[in-house]
Amino acid sequence: ITANIAQGNLDEAQRIVDELVKRLPTGGVLSLRALVEVAKGEDEAAQKDFEAAIGLEEPGDPYGSAWLRTQLGRLHARRGRNQEARLLFREALRIASDYALAQLSLADLNVKTGDYKTATSLYQDVLDRAKESSTVFDHVALQGLWRASVLQGDDTTAAEMWTKAEAIIRKDVYSGSFGH
């Protein structure tokens, strides 16, 4: 399903996920259907499926629970429902305090709403935790710090973040860390 989404084969992804929902309507399957719906621009249906998936959660999977809330929060943020998004990102971080995707999503929301200080702190925390290993999250955090600096008119810090991001990305590309 996710491969079909990534390749833009949304009809095929929809066909597969609809069959799965008929057979096994679990939270995981509903969350996959929500991803297809997000890709198709069917935000209301995606919201319902994400909410239903949250209602079907099983204990013992904190990162799965955090992922669901982060995805629903990102959907809300995209639709301008910032308060709902903020609550979901914070809930995701309450469940899994080191969940970088939720932290970066909350940081992005703070940039969007002009709270650059909080955003910068969140981005920097992601970078601090990724110091000894390169992850896709450090690239995103550096880009976020660059964007926050640009929006604040801090060209010096923006240039510094851009240079750091470029150096890390080049190192990762040449080392084959991410395959691209």
Side-chain angles (χ1 to χ4, degrees), residues 106-176:
L106 180 57
D108 289 345
L109 181 62
N110 282 309
V111 167
K112 179 180 173 184
T113 60
D115 186 355
Y116 302 116
K117 182 177 179 180
T118 302
T120 298
S121 176
L122 289 164
Y123 288 131
Q124 190 60 55
D125 186 58
V126 169
L127 287 173
D128 290 345
R129 283 187 279 119
K131 268 192 171 145
E132 298 305 315
S133 64
S134 184
T135 69
V136 70
F137 297 124
D138 57 354
H139 304 162
V140 175
L142 284 167
Q143 188 269 343
L145 285 169
W146 169 81
R147 192 172 83 238
S149 299
V150 166
L151 291 171
Q152 293 177 86
D154 184 352
D155 294 337
T156 302
T157 303
E160 180 185 330
M161 292 303 111
W162 186 267
T163 300
K164 281 184 182 180
E166 188 174 18
I168 288 173
I169 290 170
R170 285 185 188 282
K171 180 180 138 216
D172 290 342
V173 167
Y174 292 127
S175 72

